[in-house]
Amino acid sequence: DIQMTQSPSSLSASVGDKVTITCQASQDITNSCNWYHQRPGKAPKLLIYDASRLEIGVPLTVSGRGYGTEFSLTISSLQSEDIGTYYCQQYAILPFTFGQGTKLEIK
Amino acid sequence: QVQLQGSGPGLVKPSETLSLTCLVSGYSISRSYYWGWIRQSPGRGLEWIGSIYHTGKTYYNPSLMSRATISVDTSKNEFSLRLSSLTAADTAVYYCARAGGIGSGNFDYWGQGTLVTVSS
């Protein structure tokens, strides 16, 4: 199975800060990387698909980039509603696999 | 508006079989997309279980060692998961989701999640 390794595992930042989360795939997945945001007690929500495409309704402060084995998610200006856990996921090769998550908190 | 509503028992005994159903509204399963099951536990994180197309074509995670069976009922616009030979390690929140995009790995609509506890 392809391993997706996220860093950091947790992150604390202030409102208005720029934050970046990275995800490394254990093998080349081209652009087959998605990003999800999960609030406590809720289902994950798709933010970014195909590494850099913004899902409809997601704020333009969110962006994704990467190709091959290195991917990143950036929030350009952190808002209070951005708290929660972020996950990357690959769909290049079955079985689909997820990263272990990055927990984002507000300082 | 696409909505998924999962349902099933919250408590099942070890060695028994879990049955979960996901009712889809706002979109006909027969039109397109794959429909999948994903589970989440503190120890295993998010784990894809498998997906099904309206024709009945299925893909499964080999880690489940053939214990999982996903089926679809287009007349009821719902799909189901059966997971056999349960152990405590199967305790998790089970989500149903719609899967689209290239490779059908983009889970864009999710159910609310069903907490399943395996215990005697």
Side-chain angles (χ1 to χ4, degrees), chain A residues 43-79:
Chain A
K45 174 188 174 184
L46 180 64
L47 298 177
I48 298 284
Y49 64 96
D50 298 349
S52 61
R53 297 180 182 272
L54 201 64
E55 177 72 352
I56 294 172
V58 175
L60 294 176
T61 52
V62 177
S63 62
R65 61 184 299 169
Y67 192 88
T69 61
E70 302 289 335
F71 301 88
S72 64
L73 175 76
T74 296
I75 303 173
S76 61
S77 179
L78 189 65
Q79 303 301 309

Side-chain angles (χ1 to χ4, degrees), chain B residues 40-87:
Chain B
Q40 184 174 32
S41 62
R44 303 166 78 103
L46 286 163
E47 181 180 28
W48 172 72
I49 298 170
S51 298
I52 190 166
Y53 197 57
H54 68 84
T55 57
K57 184 172 185 177
T58 52
Y59 295 104
Y60 295 103
N61 191 328
S63 70
L64 277 301
M65 297 179 65
S66 303
R67 296 191 295 127
T69 302
I70 299 174
S71 58
V72 64
D73 187 336
T74 55
S75 67
K76 295 181 180 179
N77 216 42
E78 65 184 28
F79 60 106
S80 302
L81 168 69
R82 286 174 57 85
L83 186 63
S84 63
S85 305
L86 294 173
T87 70

